[in-house]
Amino acid sequence: MTKKKKQNNGTMKGQVNKGMDTSSVFTIESSASNWRESRETLTTDTHTPVQMSRRNSFSSAMESGSIFSGSIGSVPSKASALSTDALLLKQKTSSEDIEGQSTERESWDNKVQYLLAVVGFAVGLGNVWRFPYLAQKNGGGAFLIPYVIMLAIEGIPLFYLELAVGQRLRKGAIGAWNEVSPFLGGIGIACCFVSFWVALYYNTIIAWCLYYLVLSFRATLPWAACPDPVPKECNMSSPTTYFWYRKTLDISSSVEETGNLNWWILVSLFVAWLIVFLCMIKGIASSGKVVYVTATFPYLVLIIFFFRGVTLEGFQHGLEYFFVPDFSRLGDPQVWLEAATQIFFSLGLAFGGLIAFSSYMPVRNNCYVDAILVSVINCGTSVFAGIVIFSILGFKANNSYNECLATRNSQLIRLFNTTDLTVPEAGTQTTFTVFEPSLQRWIQKLGIMPELPVCDLQAELQKSGSGTGLAFIAFTEAINQFPAAPFWSILFFLMLLTLGLDSMFGTLEGVVTSIMDMNLISNLRKDVLAGVLCAVSLLMSFGFATQNGPYIFVLFDEFSGNIPLLVIAFFEVIGISYFYGLKRFGDDISLMIGYRPNYYWLIMWKYVSPLAIVVIFLASVIKMAVTGTTYDAWDSATATTTALSWPGGHKFVAAFLILTAVLWIPGVALVKYFRLIKWEPETPAYFPEEELKIEKELKIYEPSDMERKLFYWREVLD
């Protein structure tokens, strides 16, 4: 073995590294036989034919002209195993090919940077303003039961799968799924389109946060009180509601009324896209530095708000409303559907960002531990954010309830003063309950019922809402009641800004990495691609800056991601489990982390996760068909929102957003199957297979008869 090692190290430039042609002990026959035939027949002017020796999982064979120096081909001893950070450094200084260019991908500076980026991508605005609302709506503490179950059968298995695929294949979503099977290449393109549509409207939230952040640097917050003279619309709603709908959005009465451009929002959009571009100008080399701030700052702010919230009067009412379980809600299928949907989207599955991020990690990184760690952090963040949000909303509801009681009591006192009824002596607690017996006699005497405000603490808590209503109306109203309100407002919107930027980096990184891996334009620089992408997105974002822009935002939010992401995730897990094979996938994972996935993961990938996705998809479609598709339009006359049906033209836009993503999956498969266009097989990235086998002392894995019947029945095993 030592002699062979020296021979590999002494290979001259221009010669073929024959160590790369060693057959793998993990090899099985590919289920995509048509692909193998096409690889044997396809040749190009610039590439030599790909050798068709049987390879291990993900077909790691390189073209016969590939050259690698001894630093890559050498086999380190097991005793000298490197840490993850050392492996990253080694990867950065890897060998050069015949043209003097590195054969390896760029990589993260260290493991902490990578984990912060993945956590920042997974933990987003939905953890702060979506999960708390779903919990209190669907049984409080009881909602955690379906939430954790869906995390176990759907969230973590898919998260683990995507991290493993990216780390093994060293490519973005398009290149990775093309290499799994050429007929699944449409999955990567679908990921790119979904990520682009979602990033387009998601950055609008960042623009709104920027607008509120700038206005927070005032001695008095502009949404703290109604303008003078007080408009009827503001008097009927609230100062925060009025400022959001009338001053910030200047919203029209329906989606069909386009209206004028909102220049302040347009300027905010320009700044938001400029920030995203500057943070991504050098790929992970720049965004990897930014995540040290954007991924940690939200937790700092949440901790500050937590200690502030639990010291406020009435905070316990909010926590009680958030956590007290209503187990009767568990019998409602809608609760389980919303738990599964929240898990799915809060982890950032099927966007391609996770595959892109993990593709920059060394192959020896333990992606299994990463998947468990990030998933737990994500869900723990959701629960902690719920505690913070509802402790402060409990304070707000308690203040509103006490103000209502004070108003009711003052009206009762005035009523009693106009009659001969006895008013309680001075010093008596003036609550309306004191007056109830006398009030009933007074009503019987006059035969009328006075108009008194109805005070209900639970009703006040239910006004919290979700999404933009929670962030820009309910929470800002609570902040108005804090001492030094501008300071707390600055902290809050800085937190939302950093949460949004983290998710934007991962979403756009999935698009940029995939396009770069396709190599459509030779010598295309990553900063140029990021600049073009951000510029095009800014121009398309003009539609969100009009008076009907908020309704267009809702249209994108409801249709650009939900259905397409479910479809993509289904084909991802089906592609690995049935097309590529769990035996081969298990071989890949054992090469990277040293051990195979156990029965739990195999059962999830093969059966449970695909079934859960199908159920969610069907339930979503049925719900949409039964309840219809509507949006909430602002009615200035009543200062409330009303549900309106989407016009036909906007339903067409919704269908366009869905189809531009999902049709790539069957479309690419049909084009390649019938060879309608000339296509080249994906060139695998370098993977030190033989090194890893020797280093980890791996032996041929022989599955039992039960495993063959349960998990590998579609695979041809040696």
Side-chain angles (χ1 to χ4, degrees), residues 35 57-59 105 161-189 191-192 352 354-356 358-359 510 513-515 517-518 572 575-576 580 585 588 672 682-685:
W35 180 30
S57 48
F58 286 128
S59 183
R105 291 172 73 78
L161 182 146
E162 291 199 5
L163 291 186
V165 168
Q167 184 174 307
R168 173 59 181 86
L169 292 182
R170 330 288 300 145
K171 294 182 180 182
I174 293 179
W177 291 109
N178 262 318
E179 195 168 335
V180 171
S181 170
F183 305 113
L184 296 177
I187 294 178
I189 303 178
C191 289
C192 284
L354 294 174
I355 294 177
S358 62
S359 71
T513 301
S514 295
I515 295 176
D517 287 344
M518 290 175 68
E572 283 186 346
I576 291 295
Y580 184 74
F585 194 53
D588 288 335
K672 290 188 175 180
E682 191 72 24
T683 302

Side-chain angles (χ1 to χ4, degrees), residues 189-415:
I189 303 178
C191 289
C192 284
F193 270 87
V194 171
S195 296
F196 179 74
W197 294 134
V198 170
L200 196 63
Y201 81 84
Y202 199 85
N203 213 33
T204 304
I205 304 175
I206 297 177
W208 293 337
C209 292
L210 282 170
Y211 181 68
Y212 268 71
L213 177 63
V214 171
L215 294 179
S216 297
F217 288 91
R218 292 187 177 184
T220 302
L221 296 176
W223 52 83
C226 291
D228 191 21
V230 178
K232 179 182 178 181
E233 187 177 354
C234 184
N235 191 44
M236 295 173 64
S237 54
S238 68
T240 54
T241 303
Y242 177 80
F243 187 85
W244 169 244
Y245 283 111
R246 189 55 55 215
K247 295 296 184 179
T248 302
L249 303 179
D250 192 18
I251 197 168
S252 60
S253 59
S254 72
V255 71
E256 295 178 286
E257 299 179 17
T258 304
N260 301 318
L261 273 175
N262 188 331
W263 290 102
W264 285 113
I265 297 300
L266 189 60
V267 171
S268 300
L269 281 168
F270 172 78
V271 175
W273 281 110
L274 180 62
I275 292 174
V276 171
F277 167 68
L278 293 177
C279 292
M280 296 189 64
I281 192 170
K282 294 183 179 179
I284 63 170
S286 55
S287 62
K289 303 293 190 302
V290 177
V291 295
Y292 286 115
V293 176
T294 58
T296 57
F297 183 77
Y299 289 97
L300 174 63
V301 176
L302 282 175
I303 292 172
I304 294 173
F305 269 108
F306 169 77
F307 286 107
R308 177 58 182 156
V310 296
T311 58
L312 296 170
E313 181 183 359
F315 81 93
Q316 70 276 7
H317 299 305
L319 295 185
E320 180 182 1
Y321 188 69
F322 178 51
F323 275 119
V324 171
D326 179 9
F327 292 107
S328 63
R329 294 284 294 143
L330 296 181
D332 186 356
Q334 183 68 21
V335 175
W336 293 83
L337 173 62
E338 292 192 343
T341 304
Q342 176 64 14
I343 281 291
F344 190 89
F345 298 118
S346 68
L347 288 174
L349 302 173
F351 281 96
L354 294 174
I355 294 177
F357 278 164
S358 62
S359 71
Y360 299 119
M361 285 299 288
V363 295
R364 293 171 179 83
N365 176 59
N366 195 326
C367 54
Y368 167 71
V369 173
D370 295 346
I372 300 295
L373 178 63
V374 175
S375 299
V376 171
I377 291 175
N378 179 279
C379 297
T381 302
S382 296
V383 176
F384 183 62
I387 294 173
V388 173
I389 295 296
F390 272 92
S391 64
I392 294 175
L393 292 181
F395 161 74
K396 167 185 168 294
N398 184 72
N399 281 0
S400 299
Y401 178 69
N402 289 336
E403 289 176 3
C404 178
L405 291 181
T407 302
R408 183 183 177 95
N409 290 340
S410 64
Q411 292 184 12
L412 284 171
I413 291 174
R414 285 199 305 270
L415 289 173

